[in-house]
């Protein structure tokens, strides 16, 4: 018959102290290893992992974001200059014309006039682009 | 008679020769300079040859859900979708993968230098059916790569001509490698756009005289942009093969540059280009392999 273990015995106390000590040492060891690991990660060069199936890395995405910001700023600048030029043009011509992006007008029929030989020089010449 | 002289600016962009003419009593040079700036902004956004372009980013993220895009890229994808639907898939901007396989995956100058002639496994283009546009986002299915080649210049010319005209120019002509858009009036004159035979660029085979306030003219041809002997840049989206066309050159006059370019592409891919002109209600010229056999149809007459 097995004798049930009772709490408070000298042997149990010694066992508990030993176990607690070992646990503390284990934790200290774990923290130490983690610290060393963290240090080694900091010291080693970062390995870029692809963040997309097509192989784009975080750095690629950041570069794209910067390029898009630059593109957006360029477009804003263009629009400011265009509006300014439009206002100056109006002031010079005295026309009260609204400077804004116009909607495409509803389509009208074209009535081109074919010419066997053009009498006047063309302003443009189409070709395969 | 008003003899206003336009401010004209010539430059290279989008892999081709460009020219912009602005008619205005004042500030014409400023507007022409701004128009060129706009070309460069659109190229930076739409180019498939620039790794940093927004289109390249979108293509690289195909299959990864919705991507927020700029107003300009949204306009391009929306126009591509509309054009694909309007032509029943004959105009297909998803031929990018096939185009790449055939060797046109770099600028054309590099294509000629490399002269890629390796065999190609044929696959139909995936089409635009799976491309979703929602608000300011675009979703590309996996394996879909958008190629703005047969619409980008026409659409860019539309945008630029509209914006410069809206700023106050009395007339604007935007020529991006032969894809031409006109707006307003060239002084007291009418617009005249010449069509030449690609094989004899000095020979004018027709001149469009345009009295409308805005129009687009575009030419699609298998006579230019050729490499490795028989390869050219017109791909049949149904097969992924280099197109075997009945016409060698098609020119279309339409209400916009984007429409002209798209309909010209659909017409050159068709065995009967005139049926395409009639279907879309445009005027077109189809030139057969025999250069004397060009014909014209005015769908409005």
């Amino acid at each position: 018959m097995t004798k049930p273990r009772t709490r408070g015995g000298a042997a149990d106390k010694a066992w508990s102290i030993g176990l607690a000590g070992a646990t503390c040492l284990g934790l200290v060891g774990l923290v130490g290893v983690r610290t060393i690991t963290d240090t080694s990660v900091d010291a080693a060069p970062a390995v870029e992992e692809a963040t997309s199936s097509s192989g784009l890395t975080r750095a690629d995405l950041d570069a794209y974001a910067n390029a898009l910001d630059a593109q957006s700023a360029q477009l804003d600048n263009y629009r400011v200059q265009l509006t300014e030029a439009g206002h100056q043009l109006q002031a010079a011509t005295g026309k009260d014309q609204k400077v804004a992006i116009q909607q495409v007008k509803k389509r009208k029929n074209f009535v081109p006039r074919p010419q066997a030989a053009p009498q006047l020089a063309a302003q443009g010449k189409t070709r395969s682009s | 008679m008003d003899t206003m002289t336009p401010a004209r600016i010539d430059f290279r962009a989008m892999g081709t020769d460009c020219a912009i003419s602005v008619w205005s009593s004042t500030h014409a040079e400023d507007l022409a300079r701004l128009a060129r700036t706009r070309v460069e902004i659109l190229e930076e956004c739409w180019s498939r040859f620039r790794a940093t372009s927004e289109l390249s980013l979108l293509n690289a993220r195909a299959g990864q859900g919705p991507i927020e895009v700029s107003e300009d890229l949204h306009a391009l994808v929306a126009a591509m979708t509309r054009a694909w639907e309007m032509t029943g898939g004959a105009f297909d901007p998803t031929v990018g993968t096939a185009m790449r396989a055939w060797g046109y995956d770099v600028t054309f100058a590099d294509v000629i230098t490399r002269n890629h002639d390796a065999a190609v496994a044929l696959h139909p283009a995936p089409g635009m059916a799976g491309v979703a546009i929602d608000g300011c986002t675009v979703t590309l299915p996996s394996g879909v790569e958008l190629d703005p080649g047969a619409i980008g210049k026409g659409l860019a010319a539309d945008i630029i001509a509209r914006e410069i005209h809206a700023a106050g120019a009395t007339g604007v002509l935007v020529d991006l490698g032969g894809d031409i858009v006109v707006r307003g009036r060239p002084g007291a004159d009418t617009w005249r756009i010449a069509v030449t035979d690609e094989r004899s660029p000095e020979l004018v085979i027709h001149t469009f005289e345009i009295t409308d306030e805005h129009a687009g003219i575009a030419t699609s041809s298998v006579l230019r942009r050729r490499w490795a002997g028989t390869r050219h840049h017109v791909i049949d989206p149904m097969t992924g093969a280099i197109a075997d066309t009945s016409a060698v050159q098609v020119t279309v006059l339409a209400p916009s540059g984007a429409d002209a370019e798209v309909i010209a592409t659909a017409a050159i891919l068709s065995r009967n280009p005139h049926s395409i002109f009639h279907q879309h209600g445009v005027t077109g010229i189809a030139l057969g392999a025999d250069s004397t056999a060009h014909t014209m149809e005015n769908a409005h007459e």
Side-chain angles (χ1 to χ4, degrees), chain B residues 226-239:
Chain B
R226 299 185 73 98
W227 71 99
T230 57
R231 295 188 179 186
H232 57 74
H233 70 297
V234 181
I235 302 288
D236 182 348
M238 305 301 169
T239 61

Side-chain angles (χ1 to χ4, degrees), chain A residues 20-71:
Chain A
T23 303
C24 286
L25 284 173
L27 282 174
V28 168
L30 187 64
V31 170
V33 169
R34 179 64 186 269
T35 305
I36 290 167
T37 306
D38 289 348
T39 306
S40 64
V41 167
D42 289 343
V47 177
E48 285 281 5
E49 287 187 8
T51 58
S52 79
S53 59
S54 52
L56 294 177
T57 64
R58 172 57 55 192
D60 290 332
L61 296 176
D62 287 346
Y64 280 127
N66 291 336
L68 296 186
D69 284 347
Q71 176 187 305

Side-chain angles (χ1 to χ4, degrees), chain B residues 83-200:
Chain B
W84 182 74
E85 291 170 347
M86 169 177 119
T87 59
F91 165 84
D92 193 333
T94 67
V95 295
T97 307
M99 193 81 84
R100 189 180 290 280
W102 282 105
Y104 196 173
D105 57 340
V106 287
T107 60
F108 192 68
D110 292 334
V111 170
I112 295 173
T113 305
R114 192 178 53 186
N115 214 29
H116 175 90
D117 61 356
V120 173
L122 300 181
H123 301 286
M128 293 291 283
V131 176
I133 306 177
D134 181 19
C136 59
T137 68
V138 171
T139 307
L140 295 188
S142 183
V144 168
E145 179 182 342
L146 298 179
D147 175 7
I151 193 171
K153 295 184 187 72
L155 182 62
D158 286 333
I159 291 170
I160 294 158
R162 187 172 68 238
E163 291 179 357
I164 298 299
H165 187 242
T170 54
V172 186
L173 185 150
V174 180
D175 175 354
L176 304 181
D179 294 333
I180 296 173
V181 169
V182 294
R183 266 205 176 245
R185 299 276 179 199
D189 210 346
T190 54
W191 297 111
R192 288 180 303 280
I193 307 298
V195 182
T196 59
D197 185 331
E198 298 280 358
R199 290 162 292 196
S200 308

Side-chain angles (χ1 to χ4, degrees), chain A residues 1-14:
Chain A
M1 187 174 169
T2 307
K3 190 177 177 181
R5 179 180 285 179
T6 57
R7 292 178 180 275
D12 285 347
K13 282 182 181 172

